[in-house]
Amino acid sequence: MIFDEEFETLPREALEALQLKRLQQTVQRVYHTVGFYRRSFNDADVTPDDIRTLGDLRRLPFTTKQDLRDNYPFGLFAVPMSSVVRLHASSGTTGRATVVGYTKRDIEIWSDLMARCFVAAGLTKNDIIHNAYGYGLFTGGLGAHYGAEKLGASVIPISGGNTKRQIMILQDFGPSAICCTPSYALNIAEQGQAMGIDMRSLKLRVGIFGAEPWSEEMRVQIEAALNIQALNIYGLSEVMGPGVAMECLEGREGMHIFEDFFIAEIIDPDTGAPMPHGAKGELVFTTLSKEAFPLIRYRTRDITSLIPAPCRCGRTLIRMDRVTGRSDDMLIIRGVNVFPSQIEAVLVGIEGLEPHYQIIVDRVNNLDTLEVQVEVNEKIFGGGDVIRVLQNTEKRIVKDIKDYLGVSAKVKLVEPKTLQRFEGKASRVIDKRHI
Ligand code: ADP
Ligand code: ZN
């Protein structure tokens, strides 16, 4: 099923023509309404009239998170506050929060795109959607909420937290879909099991999970724990919020980017040079319709690649692969680049472990140290020689991390349910080197 059949299946040529028209309008608008863009275009010696083809986009300078911070809170808005109907702020996972604004039309389009996402997940107005993304300044809750209403589905605005109540509502209201971070989905499943509830026999059919990196292995775990199909959704508040890209039920391999509203590029994070399709690099977005907070070549710092191959769902929109991490959450440990998601991928492949872990980085005698704490599951205590099993598991993790990532780690197995749980975005890394 496709929500916006016409625009989600446009032939490439028509899509690119539409993109160019919208790009030219956007560039004119920001040049004439936002001082920051006028200055940065002038510095780069480019004017809106220079944008004659989509390729000319590369002549425009990048916009960075630092630019957003420098213009905090409203300096990049392209409309007067009287036209702004909503403000949101990023969750501030890294550094100071950034503020974004929306006009009425921006909210309309965001709702449409979120509705596209729900339909890509096989949902209709007959579904009940349990929305456990946080409501508030974070874009997740309200973004999904408006999309669900746009579709005509019944939305349960439960927001994040109060997990016992979430579980009760999952049982009593029987929603067919759940939206939250993947780590919270696991948390809910685990607490439900602990309460003696068969979390696999709920009415849930599909989960729409995003807002943080997760792995294919984690998908398998969530799907097994909740007996659902787990789909990936991507977005960021600067560009809009959730609903910039969404995996389809038919393909389940990469998220379709809504290219009629956003142009995606992949660049080399070190040099800024464009990279070809399929190559892994930093994702960059230019918005094509936003009124209040347009962005030109915004460096997301998310690391992924683009998949141009056609998808069996019929959408012609390009797909982006899983985000493996942010260029700025990359840990450099004794010179080796390590993303937390790579450690997660190693851990979830090993039997006897729970998908709950913490990474602690420190510097001792000028040498970086990496410690991975991970929970073992109850079953490990059921067998015979528990101590030997634990020792072997620990050795296996150390070896796999060394083999796959090329770094030595100290591994600490901890008892089930002892590491911190998260209700929104998980925060896996404690980097003591900056303290
Ligand atoms: P922040 O976390 O930067 O404060 P947001 O709340 O807007 O701000 O979160 C957006 C970020 O969340 C993205 O840039 C990306 O790093 C991460 N993210 C969102 N969806 C996904 C996803 N499906 N997979 C991986 N990371 C994601
Ligand atoms: Zn598809």
Side-chain angles (χ1 to χ4, degrees):
M1 268 180 310
I2 297 180
F3 181 73
D4 197 334
E5 182 86 43
E6 182 188 350
F7 286 96
E8 293 182 72
T9 63
L10 276 182
R12 250 307 108 180
E13 215 166 276
L15 177 65
E16 289 181 356
L18 178 69
Q19 286 185 319
L20 178 61
K21 194 180 95 203
R22 289 183 171 172
L23 174 66
Q24 287 169 330
Q25 288 166 350
T26 300
V27 169
Q28 289 287 353
R29 191 149 38 80
V30 298
Y31 188 78
H32 292 105
T33 52
V34 186
F36 163 80
Y37 284 113
R38 186 198 304 263
R39 282 190 299 277
S40 77
F41 288 13
N42 287 346
D43 289 347
D45 209 16
V46 52
T47 70
D49 293 331
D50 293 330
I51 307 304
R52 294 191 197 93
T53 67
L54 282 180
D56 291 333
L57 175 65
R58 291 180 183 172
R59 301 181 57 177
L60 298 172
F62 293 115
T63 307
T64 65
K65 189 122 183 160
Q66 191 56 43
D67 295 325
L68 270 51
R69 290 190 180 131
D70 292 346
N71 290 280
Y72 178 89
F74 309 136
L76 293 183
F77 284 19
V79 298
M81 198 50 95
S82 54
S83 304
V84 172
V85 299
R86 178 98 66 80
L87 294 167
H88 278 289
S90 82
S91 51
T93 311
T94 52
R96 186 174 176 182
T98 45
V99 182
V100 292
Y102 303 78
T103 64
K104 236 190 172 92
R105 184 165 170 272
D106 290 335
I107 298 277
E108 275 298 316
I109 290 172
W110 186 13
S111 311
D112 279 336
L113 297 189
M114 270 308 305
R116 285 187 186 183
C117 295
F118 287 128
V119 173
L123 301 174
T124 68
K125 64 182 171 54
N126 298 322
D127 283 288
I128 304 178
I129 300 177
H130 182 99
N131 183 17
Y133 281 119
Y135 281 63
L137 275 180
F138 172 58
T139 50
L142 283 167
H145 183 102
Y146 274 60
E149 284 193 348
K150 185 70 164 230
L151 177 63
S154 320
V155 53
I156 307 172
I158 180 107
S159 191
N162 204 343
T163 310
K164 288 212 167 80
R165 185 147 143 256
Q166 304 255 2
I167 292 163
M168 190 188 80
I169 285 181
L170 285 170
Q171 287 181 290
D172 296 351
F173 294 10
S176 39
I178 179 167
C179 308
C180 59
T181 57
S183 54
Y184 194 43
L186 274 178
N187 187 345
I188 291 175
E190 177 187 83
Q191 287 201 37
Q193 279 153 16
M195 287 158 67
I197 294 157
D198 179 6
M199 296 300 281
R200 289 181 50 84
S201 62
L202 298 172
K203 289 222 177 82
L204 283 181
R205 194 171 83 229
V206 64
I208 293 142
F209 304 122
E212 65 185 9
W214 53 309
S215 54
E216 208 53 48
E217 291 83 356
M218 190 144 162
R219 161 141 62 194
V220 174
Q221 299 234 356
I222 296 174
E223 292 191 333
L226 292 172
N227 190 23
I228 58 171
Q229 296 238 40
L231 298 177
N232 201 359
I233 185 169
Y234 172 88
L236 64 169
S237 48
E238 298 93 310
V239 172
M240 179 175 80
V244 173
M246 173 74 195
E247 207 165 45
C248 58
L249 202 56
E250 298 90 339
R252 285 169 57 98
E253 227 185 296
M255 298 168 276
H256 288 285
I257 297 173
F258 297 123
E259 290 178 282
D260 43 341
F261 291 99
F262 313 102
I263 297 180
E265 301 172 79
I266 297 286
I267 61 160
D268 179 327
D270 296 325
T271 64
M275 294 177 82
H277 287 157
K280 216 171 181 177
E282 180 179 347
L283 183 61
V284 170
F285 278 113
T286 299
T287 66
L288 297 177
S289 76
K290 278 174 77 189
E291 293 179 333
F293 196 78
L295 275 177
I296 304 293
R297 301 195 84 198
Y298 180 64
R299 294 187 59 159
T300 64
R301 302 189 293 185
D302 290 328
I303 302 294
T304 184
S305 59
L306 296 179
I307 309 168
C311 182
R312 61 177 77 94
C313 71
R315 288 176 184 79
T316 50
L317 304 165
I318 203 165
R319 284 172 287 166
M320 61 182 269
D321 205 351
R322 274 185 188 286
V323 172
T324 47
R326 303 201 201 199
S327 59
D328 57 358
D329 78 7
M330 186 179 76
L331 296 164
I332 304 185
I333 296 168
R334 276 167 264 137
V336 181
N337 298 347
V338 176
F339 286 103
S341 59
Q342 293 178 301
I343 294 179
E344 176 181 308
V346 167
L347 296 178
V348 288
I350 296 174
E351 208 172 326
L353 301 179
E354 291 287 312
H356 301 287
Y357 63 97
Q358 189 90 61
I359 297 165
I360 299 155
V361 185
D362 206 346
R363 183 161 287 162
V364 181
N365 299 330
N366 293 319
L367 207 64
D368 297 330
T369 60
L370 170 67
E371 177 175 322
V372 178
Q373 300 185 347
V374 57
E375 288 182 12
V376 294
N377 63 32
E378 301 281 0
K379 281 178 235 144
I380 224 166
F381 300 108
D385 192 346
V386 177
I387 297 200
R388 219 197 54 216
V389 174
L390 288 173
Q391 279 171 345
N392 286 345
T393 308
E394 196 177 299
K395 273 193 210 138
R396 163 93 194 274
I397 303 171
V398 171
K399 182 174 184 308
D400 282 5
I401 291 180
K402 180 82 195 168
D403 287 353
Y404 292 115
L405 308 179
V407 292
S408 311
K410 187 174 150 208
V411 170
K412 194 167 155 198
L413 299 178
V414 301
E415 285 187 36
K417 307 194 174 48
T418 50
L419 293 178
Q420 194 187 345
R421 295 292 188 269
F422 304 94
E423 293 172 346
K425 289 173 192 264
S427 154
R428 308 282 192 195
V429 180
I430 301 172
D431 195 338
K432 296 183 174 168
R433 291 177 299 184
H434 303 306
I435 298 170

